Structure formats: structure tokens, C-alpha cells
Amino acid sequence: MASSSNPDLWSGLSGFGSSESATPDMRAALLKVNAEMFVAAPARDRESIETFETLMLGSLPRADAATLLALARILAPCADAPASVLDYLVQHAPEARAIVLQHASHLPETVNRRQLATPSGRLRLAARPDLDPATTHRLLLLGEEAVAQALAANPAIAPDTASFKLLVQRARHQSALARILLERDDLAIGDEAPLYLMADAGRRAAIRQHVAAMLSRRRITLSCALTEEDVAEILAVSHRGDVERLESLLSTLLDFPLSTEWHVLELGRHRLLALALKSLGMDWRNATRIFLSLHPALSYPLSTIRELVREVRDVPGPVALALVEAILGAKVLSREHQE
């Protein structure tokens, strides 16, 4: 790419700036002029960038703090600003560090490492629009909820990346993280369906519509049929309040691994039981009997059981099964059921 900047001019200015006859004010002015010329250039090739980098690194040791701060303001937003120059500014001027962190289009590796070392630095990194996959991965390694939430809200973390999939996986057990992800408008059905339990009523309805459309497009047929003996056993274990046995039965009847973690009595997960019963073909009357007998938390207040019965009554069985699979991560939206 041709450059409109002039390396020869910079070479002359560099010699002038290093002259013993140059005053501090002259050197400061020269550095700022060079930085402004570099930023203003409509195109910068490798030679131009390297020439500028050499000039700056040779002159910066003679610059005072005010000049370093001014240079940080000029150079930080420039995508081609040499990382070594930004790193020097960060290391030698505390005020410049804040400007580089806030405005730099890319962070020098040394700055990146320092930010990764502290909780506040990790939060700042997680909100940056230029996050690279390696840094994102390193941010996620520590499992900090605040950092995960900042990443979830960051459009730079695209839904088709491994880091985003990890965020969705964690959000299945972190309601605050799930709510942040659900505010995004770029979620695929495979990302929003696992978060169904944390969604509000309007978003749940939209997710059900998306799942139904997906099943229709892929011509997926989902069905389960309970025998009278199955129904009787489910009612019996519910009457005893034996939630562990009930969850084991659900896994067996739905052909899920016995290690599947349902936790249907945990707050925020009661709706999962309603979906599971509907996916098995349980009618709403028997489902109501289960809600009334399994645990008081499922039937009090009255609005709670009404919500659960409405889920059983109104959600189509195939949609309910696809949602259960997505929430539990037991299968991937029933792809193995495709005809």
C-alpha cells in the first residue's frame, strides 16, 4: 500500500530533534508534529510505520511527562500506532496509561498482560471492542462472573466463536449472565433456547416460535408416548415427594444419560419440569396432580401452579422436548431425530 507520509522528512526531523542545540520545547513540538503527521496520513505502509517507530523510540527518552501525555492522546486512537511506542508511553507516564487503555485500537502485549493481572484490568479488557480470541479465552479461564457479564454484553464477542458458546454454557446456571445474553439481538436459536428458563414471558414466547420454525424447516419429528404404567409410576413417586427418583425416571423415559442434572425444584427451574412432562405426552390434569404433590413450592402461590399448568397445556410437545434438550444440554435440538 502506498503511503502519503514521508519517511525522508521524518529522518531529517529526527536528526534535528536529537541535536544538542534543540531546546526541550523544540523537541516536544517536533515529536507532536511527527505524531500528527503520522496519524493524518491517509495510508501507511510498513516502511512508514517502521521509520516512525524508530524516530519515536529514539526521541521519547528526552520527552517530559506532558509531551508523553500529548503523544498518547494523538497516537492511541490510531490503528497503526506501533505497539512499542504505546508501550513506552504506558510505562513512563501514568496519565498516558489511562488514555491508551481507553482509546487505543489495540493494546501492546505488555499492557495486555498487566491488565490481565488485576480484577479491574480484566473488566476493562472485557469491555474493549478489539478483543482478540486469545485474550478472550484468557479472561474466561478465571471464571469471574463480572468479567463474563462484560464479555456477554460486548458485541466484539461474536455468537459463532468458542468463547461465546462457553458463555452460553455458563449462563444456563447463572441467571444474571443469561439475562445479559438474552438482551442481544444476534442470538441464534441454539444460543437462546438453552436460556429459556431465564427469559421473560415475551422472550419465552419468541423462543418457542423460533424452535417451532426450526423443527418445521428441518422436518424433525419428535414424539414420546407414556404407558399407563409409566404414568402411574410418575404419579406415585411424585406423591412420595421423591424428586431424585422422578428425575431418574425423566432421564430414562427421554433417553437422556442417567447423570443428567435436572434440579427441577431449584428456584427458577420449576418450568423445566412442566416442559419435561409435556414432552413425554403427560396431560395437564395429571401434570397438575404432580405439581400439587411433589413439593409445596410448585403449587404456592396459586399463580405458580397456574404458570406451570399453562406451560404444559400450551407448549407443543415437540417444542417442549427440544427446549428440554437445549436447557439440559442432553442433545442438540434433536438433530439426531431428523428424518
Side-chain angles (χ1 to χ4, degrees):
M1 173 170 53
S3 173
S4 62
S5 48
N6 192 331
D8 294 332
L9 174 61
W10 288 345
S11 298
L13 289 173
S14 177
F16 175 70
S18 62
S19 170
E20 294 300 326
S21 62
T23 66
D25 287 345
M26 293 168 61
R27 295 193 187 99
L30 181 63
L31 281 170
K32 288 184 278 189
V33 167
N34 274 274
E36 289 167 352
M37 289 173 55
F38 180 81
V39 171
R44 291 171 287 270
D45 60 17
R46 180 175 298 179
E47 180 186 2
S48 300
I49 295 172
E50 290 176 351
T51 300
F52 176 75
E53 180 179 23
T54 300
L55 162 67
M56 297 301 287
L57 293 178
S59 303
L60 286 175
R62 293 177 173 233
D64 58 21
T67 302
L68 296 179
L69 183 60
L71 291 171
R73 291 195 179 101
I74 296 169
L75 293 173
C78 179
D80 289 333
S84 59
V85 174
L86 295 180
D87 190 41
Y88 185 96
L89 296 174
V90 167
Q91 291 189 53
H92 292 83
E95 297 86 354
R97 181 183 299 115
I99 293 173
V100 171
L101 290 176
Q102 182 176 358
H103 299 290
S105 59
H106 59 87
L107 291 180
E109 176 60 24
T110 53
V111 178
N112 225 16
R113 290 181 61 85
R114 282 194 291 271
Q115 293 300 296
L116 284 166
T118 65
S120 59
R122 290 190 290 271
L123 272 177
R124 283 192 291 268
L125 280 178
R128 288 188 61 85
D130 62 334
L131 268 182
D132 60 272
T135 301
T136 304
H137 176 70
R138 296 171 80 182
L139 287 169
L140 286 169
L141 285 175
L142 299 182
E144 295 172 298
E145 291 190 13
V147 170
Q149 291 170 19
L151 290 171
N154 190 342
I157 313 301
D160 60 352
T161 61
S163 293
F164 192 87
K165 302 304 180 187
L166 180 57
L167 286 171
V168 172
Q169 181 180 344
R170 292 183 182 177
R172 289 167 49 216
H173 307 287
Q174 298 179 23
S175 57
L177 179 58
R179 285 192 290 270
I180 293 172
L181 286 171
L182 286 166
E183 291 176 0
R184 296 180 57 138
D185 58 7
D186 57 353
L187 295 186
I189 180 59
D191 299 322
E192 63 178 356
L195 309 181
Y196 180 82
L197 298 179
M198 290 81 155
D200 59 28
R203 189 60 184 268
R204 288 197 305 272
I207 292 173
R208 291 195 300 268
Q209 292 176 357
H210 297 162
V211 170
M214 181 274 298
L215 294 175
S216 176
R217 286 195 304 271
R218 296 181 180 178
R219 293 185 295 175
I220 297 175
T221 301
L222 305 180
S223 63
C224 293
L226 293 175
T227 65
E228 291 184 6
E229 291 77 11
D230 293 332
V231 173
E233 186 172 8
I234 291 174
L235 290 171
V237 298
S238 299
H239 184 71
R240 296 196 304 268
D242 189 350
V243 66
E244 291 83 5
R245 175 57 183 160
L246 175 61
E247 291 180 347
S248 178
L249 279 173
L250 294 177
S251 294
T252 298
L253 293 168
L254 290 170
D255 197 26
F256 291 172
L258 291 179
S259 59
T260 300
E261 297 182 357
W262 290 82
H263 303 298
V264 295
L265 289 185
E266 288 186 5
L267 294 179
R269 294 181 69 83
H270 298 168
R271 200 179 300 275
L272 177 59
L273 176 59
L275 292 170
L277 294 175
K278 182 57 180 280
S279 66
L280 287 170
M282 184 77 69
D283 65 81
W284 69 268
R285 291 181 177 82
N286 278 326
T288 302
R289 294 170 62 188
I290 293 169
F291 300 145
L292 288 170
S293 60
L294 182 61
H295 193 283
L298 298 177
S299 57
Y300 183 84
L302 187 59
S303 59
T304 298
I305 195 168
R306 283 177 176 169
E307 280 290 311
L308 295 176
V309 171
R310 186 178 297 115
E311 200 84 8
V312 174
R313 188 185 60 208
D314 296 346
V315 178
V319 172
L321 178 54
L323 287 171
V324 169
E325 293 178 355
I327 292 165
L328 296 175
K331 296 174 184 174
V332 184
L333 287 181
S334 305
R335 286 176 186 168
E336 55 272 88
H337 290 282
Q338 294 185 55
E339 294 179 343

